[in-house]
Amino acid sequence: MDRPSPSLSQFVLKMHSRCDLACDHCYVYEHADTSWRGRPKVVSEDTLVRVADRIAEHARAHRLPAVHVVLHGGEPLLAGPDRLRRAADELSRALDGVSALDLRIHTNGVLLDENFCELFAELGIKVGVSLDGDKASNDRHRRYADGRSSHPQVLRAVELLNRPAHRRLFAGLLCTIDVRNDPIAVYDALVALDPPRIDFLLPHATWDVPPLRPGGSATPYADWLVTVYRRWDAAGRPVPVRIFDSVLRTLRGEGSLTESLGLAPADLVVIETDGTFEQADSLKTAYDAAPATGMDVVANTLDDVLRHPGMLARQQGLQQLSKECHACPVVNSCGGGLYAHRYRTGSGFDNPSVFCPDLMELIMSIRDRETSAPTPSAGRAEPLDAVQLDELASGFGGAETVSRLAAAQLELNWDLLAAVSERAPRTDRTATAAWQLMVDLDVRAPEALDAAVAHPYTRPWALRILEGRAPQTIASGLAEIAAVGAMRARQGDTVAVPVRGGLLRLPSLGSVILPDEASVAEVTADPEGFTVRAVGREMRVGWDEGLDGLTPHWQPVRIVERPGWSVALEDTDPLRDSHQWPVSDRLSAGEAKVWAEDLAEAWSLIQRELPGYAPGVAAGLRVLTPLHAPDGSDVSAASKEAFGAVAAARPETPDLLALLIVHEFQHVKLGAVLDSFDLHEPVGDRRLFYAPWRDDPRPLDGLLQGTYAHIAVTDFWRVRRLTTQGQAARTAEARFARWREQTVGAVQVLAGSGLLTPLGDRFVAGMARTVEKWSAEDVSPAASAEARRSAARHRADWEARNPAHATHR
């Protein structure tokens, strides 16, 4: 898939070009760039209108789901409340109906007061505060021009943001590192303030003006950060720390949370008080006018800015890095460091970061502690746009939208496999040969290989490897996937595959039973069929033969083909046990026949009665894993790590199977959305909430997952009350009334949690529109009254059992 066209989604809007502090490490006033001297102190109202319209124009053209704007300076609070309100109003006006707006302000905090907080609460502006730690550490740089300390005023600002009325405004603390400060004292002082996030920033420096390195250490910044990391990790990681979370994410093959790490294209532009567009502010440390583009909001669009050579250079990922970076083992996590930190007179930015030794040591230290060091592949999936995300928010999702989710999940699987390959010892010839074959097949037969890599149980296996839970299976897993890729390509490749306890695993195709003494099998595939050779056994299967029943040693995955949908009954993969219920053993031919018949009827019902779900199911649900339920209960499950699969014990009727499919596939879709978008703040399990269908309090993520899944459940019974008769219709009506009441209540809890991001607010609002539309549909007074009574009883019982969480309902 072609790389999607670049776009800009992060904007730094300068509200005021002066500051009330005189921090001697400030890149705006104390480094090479002096352009601030000729700019207006305060952004004009006309400029704010033009900025808002330019951002909205770009968001509309690129169908951006969300836009992130930081009000900045200098010190933005110097612009005053009226100008800040005008900025928020213009951005909200322009982006209304176009993109979700995530609006923040970055301040030194000394002017923050109750009036500003009330304004920000009204406008939905989150507040980040700069603070370098304890008083001694903060006073090293962050002082007034007359030398006075700013520390008391900043603590007062943080205390204000931590009050219950304003806590939801608090975005976090930003701390610039000085290695002369005690790292533990700095960290402990910041954590004691209970921030929602901490962001440690390397001081700006270049090869021309290198960073301070006292004490003779080659990696003082890594030493400082690793000390903090160990303290943070030992304490159970009580608060998100952006630099650590970014390293951990890139080691898992995911995207970084900061432009200073990772290979993601730059998507940020700065808008100065005079309306000129600039590249990242950090470039001010390189040389005078380094961030300049020569463009402004009057004469140029943001697409014009994207075509600026400096912006283009930062869109090219690995290609734009120096030769030294290309050969680096941690380049996928480091990404060359912050662009500005690479500058050297004569060679420009074609250098490693001036913090290169520190970044390598930091990443390798964290990697060693986490026992993983991924090397992700280049992105290939086209991201969801705003329209498609809104479509998913409604509870549905068409074929193209779900196909994009599937493509993003395939990309993630590839990244994880690349990470696994890095974990394999170079002396492991089986793993090395398998990975090399996959690299070759990715050129010769990419679709065949992608079909193998997309198997839902690829990701759970890879995560177990990277988490150190199954290191002995690296060669086996890579060889199995390579073998399936070769089998699907049918180009004559032979793959040596380690055997798992007498079982040759061929993920997505089946398994072969081999003698117990067999340790390795050779798999060869050609246009006519495939051959398996192992100790004492050779098996040949032709592609044009019926694959089931040819030999007692071959257990193929059975495919249920229906008009518009093909789904595999996965009962062969020994790694399919990724759900909370035990999986069924291999189905007999009779059991498989019954499953196929029930699936045919269930699919027919979904197409006929739930057409809003059918295209997404057809595009994204490829595997159904039978579960074992000894008591005959209707159990079902989905795993966030197994996109494309749901698991279920066969229910009594095909109707209920249809319900289980649409219900569990909601979890599959939302899990994929959450892999790409932050819908809520990273609160973990620290705050728990009321879920109308559970007796126990739920973390926000669990409540979001359950609510989204129950949209489909509510819709199922909504339709069934109209398509059945007699007692079945009355039962469906009662269940519709009950699930509608519960789902509406859950959406209200989510919306009132105060923990959703702006994109999460938009997503939950889409869910709300769907269930509110159903609220207008008539049900019998008896069913409606019973639903309300049941909901009230459940809530009262829940609050009695969970008094500590009653305020989070």
Side-chain angles (χ1 to χ4, degrees):
M1 183 178 294
D2 293 334
R3 184 182 295 277
S5 60
S7 60
L8 297 165
S9 63
Q10 299 190 65
F11 304 91
V12 174
L13 175 55
K14 296 301 186 76
M15 298 298 300
H16 201 284
S17 64
R18 304 296 189 270
C19 189
D20 43 5
L21 294 183
C23 307
D24 59 14
H25 58 6
C26 179
Y27 58 83
V28 176
Y29 308 111
E30 302 295 334
H31 286 229
D33 186 80
T34 59
S35 59
W36 62 273
R37 299 180 186 275
R39 291 203 168 98
K41 290 184 178 180
V42 185
V43 64
S44 71
E45 295 189 0
D46 180 64
T47 296
L48 290 175
V49 174
R50 292 178 182 273
V51 167
D53 289 341
R54 284 298 191 198
I55 292 175
E57 172 188 52
H58 188 75
R60 186 179 294 106
H62 292 270
R63 302 174 74 181
L64 299 179
V67 165
H68 309 274
V69 180
V70 179
L71 306 180
H72 210 280
E75 170 49 50
L77 296 185
L78 290 173
D82 291 343
R83 195 58 49 94
L84 294 172
R85 175 186 291 279
R86 183 63 183 270
D89 287 347
E90 290 301 331
L91 289 164
S92 298
R93 169 196 59 78
L95 288 164
D96 185 32
V98 177
S99 298
L101 172 62
D102 177 11
L103 187 56
R104 302 181 179 230
I105 191 166
H106 179 196
T107 174
N108 60 34
V110 299
L111 293 179
L112 191 70
D113 59 16
E114 184 69 33
N115 291 332
F116 273 123
C117 286
E118 290 177 358
L119 175 69
F120 298 154
E122 176 190 347
L123 300 175
I125 300 176
K126 292 194 173 183
V127 185
V129 177
S130 294
L131 178 65
D132 287 351
D134 58 295
K135 185 176 186 301
S137 300
N138 195 72
D139 285 353
R140 190 182 292 276
H141 299 288
R142 295 189 177 278
R143 291 179 174 271
Y144 290 94
D146 61 6
R148 286 180 297 126
S149 170
S150 65
H151 193 254
Q153 288 86 346
V154 182
L155 290 189
R156 177 184 51 76
V158 173
E159 186 275 330
L160 191 59
L161 289 170
N162 269 326
R163 292 178 186 174
H166 305 315
R167 173 68 184 185
R168 65 188 178 88
L169 305 176
F170 196 4
L173 297 174
L174 293 89
C175 171
T176 300
I177 298 167
D178 189 313
V179 292
R180 294 170 295 183
N181 293 332
D182 181 345
I184 298 302
V186 169
Y187 170 76
D188 285 352
L190 297 178
V191 171
L193 297 175
D194 192 26
R197 182 185 296 276
I198 297 173
D199 199 357
F200 289 111
L201 307 175
L202 291 170
H204 288 315
T206 67
W207 289 100
D208 291 351
V209 185
L212 183 72
R213 295 188 180 277
S217 171
T219 57
Y221 294 90
D223 300 342
W224 197 96
L225 282 166
V226 168
T227 300
V228 173
Y229 177 83
R230 290 172 178 163
R231 178 83 160 193
W232 175 72
D233 190 46
R237 305 180 181 183
V239 57
V241 177
R242 192 185 303 270
I243 191 169
F244 300 152
D245 289 337
S246 292
V247 171
L248 292 167
R249 285 171 62 93
T250 57
L251 289 176
R252 294 193 300 264
E254 300 173 18
S256 172
L257 301 172
T258 170
E259 67 170 331
S260 62
L261 292 168
L263 290 169
D267 65 347
L268 177 145
V269 69
V270 177
I271 304 151
E272 291 287 353
T273 55
D274 59 359
T276 56
F277 291 122
E278 289 202 339
Q279 301 175 69
D281 254 12
S282 54
L283 286 170
K284 294 179 184 294
T285 200
Y287 56 88
D288 201 10
T293 66
M295 303 181 195
D296 62 62
V297 295
V298 176
N300 302 100
T301 68
L302 286 162
D303 279 335
D304 292 335
V305 178
L306 273 172
R307 289 188 284 270
H308 183 274
M311 296 296 296
L312 289 173
R314 296 166 62 222
Q315 296 286 327
Q316 296 171 10
L318 187 62
Q319 297 176 18
Q320 52 96 13
L321 298 183
S322 67
K323 291 181 180 179
E324 297 94 323
C325 290
H326 278 249
C328 178
V330 300
V331 64
N332 295 290
S333 286
C334 170
L338 194 67
Y339 190 71
H341 295 172
R342 306 173 202 166
Y343 183 74
R344 187 198 300 263
T345 300
S347 54
F349 298 96
D350 188 22
N351 307 288
S353 169
V354 72
F355 291 100
C356 176
D358 297 281
L359 292 171
M360 179 178 287
E361 179 62 26
L362 173 66
I363 293 166
M364 293 182 73
S365 295
I366 294 177
R367 182 197 67 183
D368 291 345
R369 194 175 182 99
E370 297 293 316
T371 69
S372 64
T375 53
S377 60
R380 294 179 290 179
E382 187 173 357
L384 293 175
D385 59 33
V387 174
Q388 291 169 321
L389 194 61
D390 285 345
E391 181 185 349
L392 289 166
S394 70
F396 304 105
E400 181 182 352
T401 297
V402 175
S403 293
R404 285 201 186 182
L405 287 179
Q409 292 293 300
L410 172 62
E411 180 184 330
L412 179 56
N413 281 3
W414 265 115
D415 291 345
L416 292 171
L417 286 180
V420 169
S421 75
E422 288 292 320
R423 296 291 294 160
R426 295 299 167 234
T427 55
D428 188 334
R429 295 184 178 181
T430 300
T432 301
W435 182 249
Q436 185 58 54
L437 177 58
M438 281 193 273
V439 172
D440 294 342
L441 286 172
D442 196 31
V443 175
R444 290 190 276 122
E447 292 184 0
L449 186 59
D450 281 349
V453 173
H455 181 54
Y457 300 112
T458 297
R459 181 177 175 183
W461 165 77
L463 289 173
R464 284 196 288 270
I465 296 294
L466 297 176
E467 293 166 1
R469 292 185 282 135
Q472 73 280 5
T473 66
I474 293 177
S476 299
L478 291 177
E480 289 161 354
I481 295 168
V484 171
M487 292 171 72
R488 292 183 179 276
R490 305 182 185 184
Q491 295 181 0
D493 297 287
T494 296
V495 188
V497 185
V499 176
R500 300 172 182 264
L503 194 71
L504 170 63
R505 174 181 179 255
L506 298 171
S508 78
L509 295 181
S511 59
V512 180
I513 300 173
L514 295 171
D516 290 340
E517 62 269 24
S519 59
V520 177
E522 285 190 348
V523 180
T524 304
D526 54 49
E528 284 72 45
F530 69 94
T531 302
V532 177
R533 299 180 182 87
V535 174
R537 182 164 299 166
E538 179 172 323
M539 184 188 74
R540 175 72 179 177
V541 177
W543 300 120
D544 58 350
E545 302 175 50
L547 294 185
D548 203 357
L550 288 178
T551 166
H553 309 302
W554 169 233
Q555 295 185 332
V557 172
R558 299 168 175 118
I559 306 297
V560 179
E561 296 276 3
R562 301 305 304 162
W565 187 39
S566 175
V567 65
L569 273 175
E570 179 56 87
D571 58 358
T572 68
D573 192 339
L575 303 184
R576 68 190 184 278
D577 193 5
S578 297
H579 309 282
Q580 65 265 44
W581 299 96
V583 297
S584 171
D585 293 332
R586 172 70 169 174
L587 300 174
S588 68
E591 290 171 326
K593 182 175 182 293
V594 174
W595 262 107
E597 292 170 348
D598 283 2
L599 278 168
E601 290 190 45
W603 176 239
S604 178
L605 184 147
I606 292 171
Q607 287 183 300
R608 183 177 65 252
E609 299 188 7
L610 299 166
Y613 303 90
V617 169
L621 182 56
R622 298 301 187 193
V623 168
L624 193 150
T625 298
L627 296 177
H628 175 62
D631 59 355
S633 56
D634 294 332
V635 299
S636 61
S639 170
K640 183 180 184 296
E641 283 75 37
F643 180 86
V646 301
R650 189 172 63 84
E652 291 184 0
T653 68
D655 294 0
L656 291 180
L657 180 57
L659 172 59
L660 294 181
I661 288 171
V662 296
H663 169 208
E664 295 299 344
F665 194 61
Q666 294 289 92
H667 289 297
V668 172
K669 290 187 296 184
L670 184 58
V673 168
L674 291 170
D675 278 335
S676 299
F677 299 100
D678 292 326
L679 300 186
H680 58 78
E681 300 294 342
V683 292
D685 293 332
R686 288 182 295 166
R687 288 189 60 187
L688 301 176
F689 295 85
Y690 172 68
W693 50 84
R694 296 283 295 247
D695 292 334
D696 57 328
R698 302 292 291 154
L700 191 68
D701 186 68
L703 177 62
L704 179 61
Q705 281 279 359
T707 308
Y708 191 72
H710 287 131
I711 287 177
V713 175
T714 305
D715 203 8
F716 176 86
W717 293 114
R718 182 185 73 86
V719 174
R720 294 298 285 169
R721 87 189 200 277
L722 304 174
T723 59
T724 55
Q725 297 179 342
Q727 183 57 45
R730 289 190 290 274
T731 298
E733 180 181 57
R735 291 180 178 176
F736 167 57
R738 180 177 57 129
W739 282 113
R740 181 178 65 180
E741 187 78 19
Q742 292 180 347
T743 308
V744 167
V747 168
Q748 291 171 347
V749 174
L750 286 169
S753 68
L755 296 173
L756 299 175
T757 64
L759 195 59
D761 283 328
R762 178 170 174 161
F763 195 90
V764 170
M767 295 165 61
R769 283 191 292 272
T770 296
V771 295
E772 287 168 0
K773 178 177 63 178
W774 297 336
S775 296
E777 296 188 16
D778 290 334
V779 297
S780 69
S784 180
E786 177 54 31
R788 288 195 297 271
R789 284 195 298 269
S790 177
R793 285 196 302 269
H794 184 271
R795 177 170 286 182
D797 291 344
W798 185 92
E799 291 182 347
R801 285 190 301 268
N802 302 284
H805 303 290
T807 58
H808 296 163
R809 55 191 177 98

